[in-house]
Amino acid sequence: MIIKSKFPLGQLLIERKIITPEQLDVALKRQKETGELLGIVLLELGFVDEETVFLPIVAGQYGVDYVNLKDAQIPPEVLNQLPARFASHYKVIPVDYRENTLMIATTRPLDIHLLDELSLVVKAKLNPVLASEKDILEAIRKYYGVGAETIEQMMGSVKSLDLPEDVDDLGAMETEASISKFLNQILLEAYRDRATDIHIEPFEDSLHVRYRVDGILFDAKVPKNIRHFKDSIISRIKILSNLNIAEKRTPQDGRFKVHVGEIDLDLRVSFLPTPFGESVVLRILNSTRLFSFAELGLDDQERKILEHLIENPHGIIFLTGPTGSGKTTTLYSCLSQINTEDTKIITIEDPIEYQLEGITQIQINPAVGLTFSTGLRSMLRHDPDVMMVGEVRDIETAEIAIQVALTGHLIFSTLHTNDAASAVTRLLDMGVDPYLVTSTVECFIAQRLVRTLCPKCKSPTTLTSAMAEDFKRHVDMTGDIKIYEPKGCEACKFTGYLGRAAIYEFLVVNEAIRKIIMEKATASTIKSKAVAQGMRTLMQSGWEKVRRGLTTPQEVLRVTKEED
């Protein structure tokens, strides 16, 4: 599409009320200083928005086509016309190839020097078209893969691969091709995509890289040639984590830290041996990010319950749920709420995921005899007010935690059970006496994480009859119900979801619950009694978020199906 105009660009933008005459004067002064095209200056000053009609207007003014790369589908044979390292260096991407003419998307379609340099690489005529820089960079990552130019340079290099020192900031990466640079590109891309985990998995003829975003795994677009460097990538991660690079037969765990701008990221690393090499998972932990109760997803009713619980001077608060359900994040949020100068808090964890200022944290080390139970005994000698035990795994740890609570301490801990009521029977099955449970435990809190809808693209829909039947058994379906569904847009990477929130089930141990615990009632009996006493189940908590338009029925059913 070519838009032709007899007016200068500045006058045309004023005519269409996109900029003011005063803004044009500022831009023209800046243009004299920099020598850049007026359109580029206007973008840099923030006077115009690429997402409006600005770029098509600029394209028409300069007599070139404008292409929206979001709508483009670029075939491999077109991409093969320009190597990744040149596309990345010049910030261009091939869009179409026919009749020995290659259409190149760039932000500088009239730059003769750029076109001359590309002509030395491309054996075809060039047809430059205009596109936004953001779209070009996203297309390069999408079609060539993360770090494709780095892999290309290493493939073409005859030098042996070295492992340079770590960089301080991922945004200031080395210019030379190296494994270090490629790994930094992977980490930076994962952070930008809001990934919580990076999975690097070797197979016979390939190396897969996957990101976990909002609890769901997605393939990361990486070059196929990455498989040639899998051993070097693994070695680089081990060096950063201070692990033994020669040991490939047994699992290893470690951690290291990187910086992204002003943010410190701790990366927890775990290696597993496989027939085709070592598989590694990197857990990304933002050590400066602690959530408030509102950010966790607690509504007013749930927040009041939790705020009341953490004000108790003694007792035990158990969080329950499977791995990855957000228990640790909730625990840290509770600790940060009560972390004051007059409160001594000690934690014992495996591993320490977040390092908290003002809190004494202990990492268990079974190899030297430091377990949850032995650490818990030693913690008492340090005169704590509040303690957190990462997980109650056995009768010994459970009994010590209970004895500590009986002596006037507030204890936070976790159990791996499907719901709150099952945590009671789990303790009894361990061998804990019912009277000790009723004397010390204040509350069992079950939780799950549901993906939240992208606010920019969520769309109203209706509840299917099958879903309605699933919910009718658990929640009140009366009243006006407005349901939303995910659509997908650029903001949410076309998934329809953006972020996660927790849903909760608070089983407060009151007199009625204590009575049936003493009778060694089953989990279902305890749950029924708690619901009769006003407990809201996980599904009911999730349904409230559906009613508020925060998530979808499918998400709630996905994480609460074990209730059935």
Side-chain angles (χ1 to χ4, degrees):
M1 175 183 66
I2 297 180
I3 305 173
K4 294 183 179 180
S5 172
K6 61 182 180 180
F7 299 109
L9 175 62
Q11 183 181 346
L12 185 61
L13 293 174
I14 291 174
E15 289 281 341
R16 300 197 181 188
K17 296 182 178 180
I18 296 175
I19 64 172
T20 64
E22 292 77 16
Q23 289 175 325
L24 177 60
D25 289 340
V26 172
L28 289 173
K29 289 178 182 177
R30 175 69 65 86
Q31 184 189 27
K32 288 182 180 178
E33 298 172 0
T34 63
E36 289 276 9
L37 294 173
L38 179 60
I40 301 299
V41 174
L42 288 166
L43 283 172
E44 291 175 348
L45 290 172
F47 293 161
V48 292
D49 185 357
E50 288 181 328
E51 302 302 323
T52 65
V53 296
F54 173 70
L55 281 181
I57 288 176
V58 173
Q61 185 70 15
Y62 295 136
V64 298
D65 286 334
Y66 164 71
V67 61
N68 186 344
L69 292 175
K70 297 187 186 109
D71 301 330
Q73 292 295 327
I74 307 174
E77 57 269 20
V78 174
L79 296 169
N80 292 338
Q81 299 298 317
L82 184 67
R85 61 184 183 274
F86 294 107
S88 179
H89 177 74
Y90 291 109
K91 295 182 181 179
V92 301
I93 189 166
V95 178
D96 191 20
Y97 179 68
R98 62 184 67 184
E99 297 179 358
N100 200 36
T101 299
L102 184 66
M103 181 184 289
I104 294 285
T106 175
T107 59
R108 300 177 290 164
L110 302 184
D111 189 332
I112 300 300
H113 298 293
L114 169 67
L115 299 178
D116 285 345
E117 290 179 24
L118 287 174
S119 296
L120 298 175
V121 180
V122 178
K123 297 179 180 179
K125 296 179 182 178
L126 294 179
N127 175 24
V129 296
L130 182 67
S132 76
E133 181 174 346
K134 181 178 70 173
D135 289 350
I136 291 171
L137 295 177
E138 181 61 33
I140 290 172
R141 287 192 293 267
K142 175 182 177 181
Y143 291 104
Y144 286 110
V146 181
E149 74 284 2
T150 306
I151 295 295
E152 273 191 7
Q153 290 180 52
M154 288 191 292
M155 289 294 293
S157 175
V158 295
K159 298 179 181 179
S160 60
L161 294 174
D162 62 345
L163 294 172
E165 294 298 318
D166 189 23
V167 293
D168 289 331
D169 195 311
L170 292 185
M173 296 182 295
E174 303 97 322
T175 56
E176 72 272 19
S178 66
I179 289 297
S180 177
K181 179 181 178 182
F182 177 74
L183 180 60
N184 289 338
Q185 290 171 316
I186 290 288
L187 296 177
L188 184 59
E189 182 77 6
Y191 171 74
R192 288 171 174 167
D193 285 348
R194 301 179 299 105
T196 55
D197 301 87
I198 304 171
H199 295 246
I200 302 176
E201 304 159 319
F203 295 93
E204 187 173 7
D205 296 315
S206 62
L207 184 69
H208 293 182
V209 178
R210 296 193 287 175
Y211 298 153
R212 188 177 294 279
V213 180
D214 294 336
I216 305 297
L217 277 173
F218 295 94
D219 283 330
K221 178 72 174 178
V222 294
K224 291 182 179 179
N225 289 335
I226 189 179
R227 68 183 187 274
H228 299 297
F229 304 96
K230 62 182 180 181
D231 290 336
S232 298
I233 293 170
I234 295 298
S235 295
R236 177 61 183 168
I237 297 173
K238 286 185 177 180
I239 288 173
L240 292 173
S241 307
N242 293 317
L243 299 176
N244 184 0
I245 63 173
E247 180 55 71
K248 301 180 180 181
R249 300 165 299 174
T250 61
Q252 294 190 74
D253 295 314
R255 67 190 308 153
F256 63 95
K257 181 178 289 188
V258 294
H259 308 288
V260 180
E262 300 298 322
I263 303 298
D264 288 341
L265 295 180
D266 284 322
L267 288 104
R268 197 177 79 209
V269 185
S270 181
F271 291 87
L272 282 177
T274 75
F276 304 111
E278 290 177 280
S279 177
V280 58
V281 174
L282 299 93
R283 168 68 60 88
I284 302 174
L285 304 168
N286 186 343
S287 59
T288 62
R289 180 74 167 109
L290 287 176
F291 292 89
S292 66
F293 285 171
E295 290 173 317
L296 289 175
L298 292 160
D299 61 23
D300 291 339
Q301 176 185 339
E302 294 165 339
R303 186 165 62 249
K304 287 178 182 177
I305 296 174
L306 191 53
E307 286 174 346
H308 174 72
L309 288 170
I310 65 177
E311 289 173 358
N312 287 326
H314 53 78
I316 304 177
I317 299 171
F318 278 111
L319 269 84
T320 76
T323 300
S325 59
K327 300 188 298 298
T328 302
T329 300
T330 300
L331 283 175
Y332 279 120
S333 296
C334 291
L335 293 179
S336 66
Q337 291 284 328
I338 58 178
N339 183 19
T340 58
E341 290 184 359
D342 58 352
T343 303
K344 172 78 170 184
I345 303 175
I346 305 178
T347 73
I348 182 163
E349 308 169 57
D350 182 28
I352 296 172
E353 294 200 7
Y354 300 91
Q355 295 176 344
L356 303 178
E357 184 72 25
I359 294 178
T360 303
Q361 296 173 272
I362 304 168
Q363 165 75 55
I364 75 163
N365 187 356
V368 297
L370 179 55
T371 63
F372 281 119
S373 57
T374 56
L376 197 49
R377 289 191 186 95
S378 299
M379 287 159 64
L380 279 172
R381 303 188 188 103
H382 285 252
D383 188 30
D385 300 297
V386 179
M387 288 183 281
M388 184 184 90
V389 183
E391 183 183 352
V392 171
R393 299 175 178 174
D394 51 49
I395 179 62
E396 185 181 11
T397 305
E399 287 182 338
I400 296 171
I402 287 171
Q403 293 301 324
V404 171
L406 287 170
T407 57
H409 299 83
L410 181 61
I411 309 290
F412 292 90
S413 192
T414 68
L415 285 166
H416 283 277
T417 60
N418 286 334
D419 60 10
S422 298
V424 179
T425 56
R426 174 71 184 276
L427 289 174
L428 298 181
D429 290 342
M430 283 183 185
V432 179
D433 290 329
Y435 79 91
L436 291 176
V437 176
T438 59
S439 300
T440 56
V441 180
E442 297 293 330
C443 187
F444 295 94
I445 307 171
Q447 77 172 77
R448 298 289 189 278
L449 294 176
V450 293
R451 291 182 293 170
T452 52
L453 284 161
C454 175
K456 291 188 177 181
C457 66
K458 67 180 183 180
S459 174
T461 186
T462 56
L463 191 66
T464 66
S465 57
M467 287 185 184
E469 287 299 320
D470 283 327
F471 279 105
K472 277 180 181 177
R473 290 175 289 152
H474 303 277
V475 301
D476 180 11
M477 299 289 292
T478 60
D480 184 28
I481 302 173
K482 192 171 184 179
I483 308 297
Y484 292 88
E485 65 178 351
K487 282 295 184 182
C489 65
E490 185 181 5
C492 61
K493 301 287 186 182
F494 301 96
T495 63
Y497 295 96
L498 191 64
R500 289 189 291 178
I503 58 175
Y504 291 93
E505 181 176 282
F506 288 84
L507 174 53
V508 179
V509 183
N510 54 27
E511 287 303 320
I513 299 300
R514 289 190 182 98
K515 182 179 178 180
I516 60 174
I517 291 176
M518 290 297 295
E519 298 169 355
K520 295 186 176 181
T522 63
S524 59
T525 302
I526 295 172
K527 183 173 184 176
S528 297
K529 186 68 174 179
V531 170
Q533 294 281 315
M535 183 186 80
R536 189 163 66 183
T537 66
L538 284 169
M539 182 169 280
Q540 290 168 338
S541 176
W543 180 249
E544 285 304 309
K545 286 182 168 52
V546 172
R547 280 184 181 273
R548 290 159 55 194
L550 298 177
T551 191
T552 63
Q554 295 94 325
E555 272 296 292
V556 175
L557 290 173
R558 179 178 68 86
V559 301
T560 62
K561 58 186 177 183
E562 60 267 14
E563 283 196 358
D564 296 336

